[in-house]
Amino acid sequence: GFPLIRVPFRSRLLQLLSAGQQSSGRFSGKAGARESRGSFGAYGLSSLIFRFPPNFVRQLSNKARRNCSNIGVAQVVAASWSNNYAAGAAGEALDAAAAAAAAPAEIASSEEEAVVLVENGSCNSNSVQIDALTDEKPYSFLSFDGSVAVHAGERLGRGIVTDAITTPVVNTTAYFFKKTADLIDYKEKRRASFEYGRYGNPTTVVLEEKISALEGAESTLLLASGMCASTVMLLALVPAGGHIVTTTDCYRKTRIFIENFLPKMGIKATVIDPADIGALKSALDENNVTLYFTESPTNPFLRCVDIELVSKLCHEKGVIVCIDGTFATPINQKALALGADIICSSATKYIAGHNDVLAGYVSGSEKLVSAVRNMHHVLGGTLNPNAAYLIIRGMKTLHLRVQQQNMTAMRIAGSLEAHPKVKRVYYPGLPSHPEHHIAKKQMTGFGGVVSFEVDGDLLTTSKFVDALKIPYIAPSFGGCESIVDQPAIMTYWDLSQSERAKYGILDNLVRFSFGVEDFEDVKADILQALEAI
């Protein structure tokens, strides 16, 4: 009483079926009674007829749709049969398959019969099937970030129908509807589906779910870069003529957008010191503020804001709080749990962690993220699904990498602070840091970046950087490889020395991002470079 499957004689498939027959005894196979149209080795047969349990047929059909290039299936026919099926039923199934040979691949909506055609024994990942989207959080029983980073959005909650351990990459620009009624149901929100690549992708959704789980967010939106995330968020949440509050120390391109582009829409900004709560209160009292935006820790001096206190003050005035958590990562800091409304981060750095992909994300409440998502759908800046896959893979080791980077940075920061050729060290894990007390309260680790001032001028500092053997001289951080840069040259070289000094960027400032190399090797490299100056 089992359905029948007709397959060409391919060694890979026969090995699979033979193994199942020997191990369980549930599968039976016999040569088809119908006349062959071609030679089949010494047997003169073009195919075999196998009988399977119905649930296995469904699983094999899914597998054939996904991995037919590996299995080599030409036609798969899964049909419902009575327990007393007639011998002619096999012929009817084969006739149905033959009749469909020239037709496009189709999966019948009826549970009674499903016909899948794969031509030329090959397919691509566009045939991955998608389950209905769900709000369930099946990973809620996990207690530690490391487990969440590995499993959330995938084994625990993946909407893609697959038995593969890794999440498939769905490379498609658009998604089709079987009939107009399905499209109308989708448009009127009675049916969950994808529509166009800029509006969503199954692979990207897996990554969004994973990040939401780590951040403790209702929703996450992936974008093409960290700057794309920041700018789209500001455009979506701050109205024309609005007012924002931000801090002095921040990523330079963010400052440029706030100072040069937002004013074109009549948006004003009040800039305050990250630790100046009095200035924040004054700004909130004197202006109709829409949004407070800062990094914590900041770039490059790693200043920390009291997220809980800032959120309380802002919420009393109805102000949205957005924290850029790129330097912290959700492993070290849970800004949403501390009271922030929205997180904006560059996934290029620690999240992806391998210096091989650009991405950004916005996480928070469904209401706020939906507003950003709607703006994103208009502006673009869509993350490629291949990039999403790389980030998913990178996040499997996020907690391990961050733990190593936290440890190395903390120990090196202490050594640098005691070194006679280093004037000052900026690291929130050190008691000498101005916001060390805040960092201790809201962070479980202090990150893998240390900034410090060498005892010397621009050229002396450059000599130190050039003497280093392990880190790359590059403008990023958070990856497996250590990276070093001299901000006066890397980021602010177009400004004069006096203009750079207004932002606290001195010629002897160094920003060092620690990778996952062994601590002793990195320490020895830094010490020998300091000895060279």
Side-chain angles (χ1 to χ4, degrees), residues 1 21 35 45 117 144 149 159 162 175 189 269 307 311 320 341 381 392 400 406 414 427 455 471 484 518 529:
Q21 183 179 12
E35 183 177 347
L45 300 173
L117 169 65
F144 297 95
T162 176
Y175 307 84
K189 302 187 185 305
I307 299 174
S311 298
I320 298 169
D341 300 296
I392 290 169
L400 301 175
N406 285 344
Y427 188 67
D455 188 9
V484 66
D518 189 86

Side-chain angles (χ1 to χ4, degrees), residues 365-411:
S365 67
E366 184 66 44
K367 179 180 179 181
L368 290 176
V369 174
S370 292
V372 181
R373 194 183 303 274
N374 290 337
M375 177 66 75
H376 167 255
H377 288 175
V378 174
L379 297 179
T382 305
L383 185 68
N384 185 285
N386 294 281
Y389 173 82
L390 289 175
I391 300 171
I392 290 169
R393 185 178 66 171
M395 289 186 69
K396 309 286 188 178
T397 58
L398 175 63
H399 65 297
L400 301 175
R401 290 185 282 106
V402 170
Q403 287 170 8
Q404 175 70 13
Q405 290 162 316
N406 285 344
M407 182 274 292
T408 300
M410 184 72 238
R411 295 175 68 183

Side-chain angles (χ1 to χ4, degrees), residues 18-151:
S18 176
Q21 183 179 12
Q22 294 173 5
S23 61
S24 67
R26 297 181 61 194
F27 308 138
S28 63
K30 62 179 180 178
R34 299 175 61 81
E35 183 177 347
S36 169
R37 289 183 293 175
S39 175
F40 192 46
Y43 299 98
L45 300 173
S46 63
S47 63
L48 296 179
I49 301 297
F50 295 93
R51 295 192 296 170
F52 298 89
N55 63 333
F56 185 83
V57 170
R58 179 179 180 276
Q59 294 171 14
L60 184 58
S61 297
N62 285 337
K63 183 172 291 185
R65 292 196 295 271
R66 293 192 311 271
N67 300 321
C68 46
S69 60
N70 294 328
I71 300 175
V73 177
Q75 297 170 344
V76 178
V77 181
S80 176
W81 304 86
S82 66
N83 289 334
N84 299 315
Y85 74 96
E92 294 172 8
L94 295 180
D95 289 339
E106 179 181 356
I107 301 174
S109 57
S110 169
E111 293 294 334
E112 294 299 312
E113 181 176 79
V115 179
V116 180
L117 169 65
V118 181
E119 298 183 15
N120 301 323
S122 64
C123 67
N124 57 44
S125 60
N126 292 352
S127 60
V128 173
Q129 302 300 302
I130 310 302
D131 275 349
L133 304 179
T134 176
D135 291 330
E136 295 180 3
K137 305 297 183 186
Y139 46 78
S140 59
F141 72 95
L142 296 175
S143 302
F144 297 95
D145 286 340
S147 302
V148 171
V150 172
H151 292 298

